[in-house]
Amino acid sequence: MGLKYVETVKSIVLFLLVALSIILTFSIWTYSPRYETIEQFPPVDISIGGKKKIDEIIKPYKVLFNFDDVLKGTTDSDKIDRIMDKITDWKIADITPVDENFTTEDISTFLRKPNRFTVFFQSEIPLSVYDSVLTIEEPTPEISFNQIVVEWKPDNNAMTVYFVSKVNKKLYSGKVKAEDYQSLDNSILTKGRELQEYKEVKPDSSSYLVVSAEPVETIKYTFLEDEVPINKFRDALFSDANAVRNSQVGIHHEELADDHALMNVYTEKKTFKYVSPSADSRELAIPSELLINTINFVNVHGGWTDEFRFTYMDAKTRFVRFRLYLNGLPVYTDSSSSAEILQKWGKNRIYSYARPYYRLNSQYPAKTEVELLPPGTDIAERLRKSDMLDLDAVEEITPGYFMKYKPGLFIMEPAWFYLINGNWSRFSPEGLGGELIGLE
């Protein structure tokens, strides 16, 4: 009898084993463990100040109109912006070389001709960078300029845009649509005739120097001390803020470092210098890439804490300078602090980054006083009579601010500055010859 049911029992056991296997497999497939909820922390915000566009960082400092009967000009930032707003709407095409050996004498002769106005920039600018500001209707050539000259011809309603490169001694021209002449005639030239009168101060010289013939109204500012916490820059510049070591080197000198980079902080001057030695590069930089990289670097951490403008670049040393401006005028200072952002671009990243970490609350100054600077022609005449320098060596005379830093206060004093051999000096009536500000 027992043998009669052996096969039946085997079949039942086999069925149960198969069913158990199916149940276990299904359980494994559908099993979902209960994990503890992990708390989500918001990302760390390392945006220090604001981000800026090209037209906010690369700006002209002076505009000069050469009419038939008079020179008119301005260094007023608002008036320059209104003129540039019209120029940026023009459609510029067919940019071609005019002169491949455009000397200083050639530039002076060119600028002295009537029926043209000149837009002056502090440094050579790659056109392929500034084409985001201008409207250029074709691929932009890899050229640079430091002056834009617009020539108009009233007899046939035509105009030409020129790009002047003082450093490379080159002149380029671009064609402008005929319909854009209306904005020139109805708006720009009208604004130009309303500007201050300017005069050339050394007409027999090979260089062209034109300054205001009228007093310049400025404002003296006093700001209460304010600063960006240095830890914000630490978090922005070091890859791992937790790995940064902090050492007190002196009373006013701190050192922040990890295994790859070093930041020296000078608390009395409110400045710091960051260096990443492994990023060093000796290769010649492409100017347009160098300028864009350094601007983007500051934009990433919102490092434009105040109004900084591009003022100098050297592709050989991969060095770029941005200067502090206030109400459209450059700010200079002595060794008590700094008014510059200095960058050296390395291999695909920053090599060195030096700058102030103070911040001007320009909308709410503690004190303001209206000051009237004497005409630029007066300053030129005093420099001419000085035994300490040669006026023929002076390349530019322009108003600006001299910043005095005292604990708790930033005092911005309006003054005249002049440029000789790349160095800006403050004009001082007491000690004629001026006070050297530094390489520009």
Side-chain angles (χ1 to χ4, degrees), residues 403-414:
M403 183 179 76
K404 291 184 176 179
Y405 171 62
K406 298 179 179 179
L409 294 174
F410 293 99
I411 302 170
M412 300 292 188
E413 295 184 346

Side-chain angles (χ1 to χ4, degrees), residues 7 19 61 69 88 151 197 208 214 219 229-230 249 294 321 334 352 372 419:
E7 292 301 323
Y61 72 92
D69 54 343
T88 55
E151 177 188 23
E197 183 177 347
Y208 188 58
E214 303 175 34
I219 300 176
I230 198 64
V249 180
T294 51
R321 175 189 290 119
D334 54 19
S352 68
L372 206 61
L419 179 68

Side-chain angles (χ1 to χ4, degrees), residues 22 96 126 143 151 279 310 314 387:
I22 292 173
T96 55
I143 65 174
E151 177 188 23
F310 167 66
D314 185 347
D387 296 330

Side-chain angles (χ1 to χ4, degrees), residues 46 79 146 211 275 337 347 364:
I46 58 171
K79 293 176 181 177
N146 70 304
V211 297
V275 178
S337 189
K347 189 175 182 180
Y364 302 101

Side-chain angles (χ1 to χ4, degrees), residues 90 150-153 157-161 174 176-177 180-181 184:
W90 296 350
V150 179
E151 177 188 23
W152 70 88
K153 298 177 180 179
N157 291 353
M159 62 179 176
T160 305
V161 174
V176 184
K177 299 289 185 180
D180 288 327
Y181 183 84
L184 170 75

Side-chain angles (χ1 to χ4, degrees), residues 122-348:
Q122 288 281 8
S123 182
E124 294 273 322
I125 302 164
L127 185 58
S128 57
V129 173
Y130 206 64
D131 66 358
S132 64
V133 180
L134 301 174
T135 304
I136 299 177
E137 294 191 316
E138 57 190 20
T140 307
E142 189 66 34
I143 65 174
S144 65
F145 67 93
N146 70 304
Q147 296 170 0
I148 298 176
V149 181
V150 179
E151 177 188 23
W152 70 88
K153 298 177 180 179
D155 54 340
N156 60 359
N157 291 353
M159 62 179 176
T160 305
V161 174
Y162 294 95
F163 298 92
V164 180
S165 173
K166 184 178 179 181
V167 171
N168 298 318
K169 298 181 180 180
K170 296 182 185 297
L171 176 68
Y172 304 88
S173 69
K175 295 180 180 179
V176 184
K177 299 289 185 180
E179 56 266 26
D180 288 327
Y181 183 84
Q182 290 300 113
S183 70
L184 170 75
D185 192 33
N186 297 336
S187 180
I188 295 180
L189 297 186
T190 300
K191 287 183 172 66
R193 288 197 175 275
E194 296 171 351
L195 300 177
Q196 282 192 327
E197 183 177 347
Y198 272 53
K199 286 186 178 179
E200 187 175 0
V201 296
K202 45 181 186 177
D204 298 327
S205 173
S206 61
S207 61
Y208 188 58
L209 179 58
V210 179
V211 297
S212 170
E214 303 175 34
V216 178
E217 185 177 297
T218 59
I219 300 176
K220 179 180 178 180
Y221 291 93
T222 300
F223 298 103
L224 296 178
E225 182 178 304
D226 189 18
E227 65 182 63
V228 177
I230 198 64
N231 286 348
K232 284 201 167 187
F233 283 105
R234 178 203 64 191
D235 296 345
L237 298 175
F238 289 93
S239 56
D240 182 3
N242 295 322
V244 176
R245 302 177 296 274
N246 193 330
S247 304
Q248 191 72 36
V249 180
I251 299 176
H252 303 294
H253 182 190
E254 297 178 10
E255 188 176 275
L256 284 69
D258 62 8
D259 294 336
H260 309 287
L262 171 69
M263 179 192 289
N264 284 293
V265 182
Y266 306 97
T267 55
E268 187 176 29
K269 296 182 178 182
K270 305 297 179 186
T271 64
F272 73 80
K273 183 176 182 180
Y274 169 89
V275 178
S276 179
S278 62
D280 191 19
S281 175
R282 305 298 171 88
E283 295 181 6
L284 178 67
I286 299 172
S288 57
E289 292 183 1
L290 176 61
L291 186 53
I292 288 296
N293 284 337
T294 51
I295 290 174
N296 286 343
F297 170 77
V298 182
N299 269 335
V300 166
H301 59 270
W304 307 111
T305 49
D306 288 298
E307 182 187 2
F308 285 90
R309 295 187 185 182
F310 167 66
T311 56
Y312 179 77
M313 175 172 59
D314 185 347
K316 292 181 181 178
T317 59
R318 308 172 73 88
F319 174 81
V320 182
R321 175 189 290 119
F322 303 90
R323 179 167 295 282
L324 177 65
Y325 272 66
L326 179 62
N327 286 349
L329 296 179
V331 177
Y332 301 90
T333 187
D334 54 19
S335 59
S336 65
S337 189
S338 172
E340 299 174 319
I341 292 177
L342 308 176
Q343 292 188 61
K344 186 175 180 182
W345 192 253
K347 189 175 182 180
N348 300 321

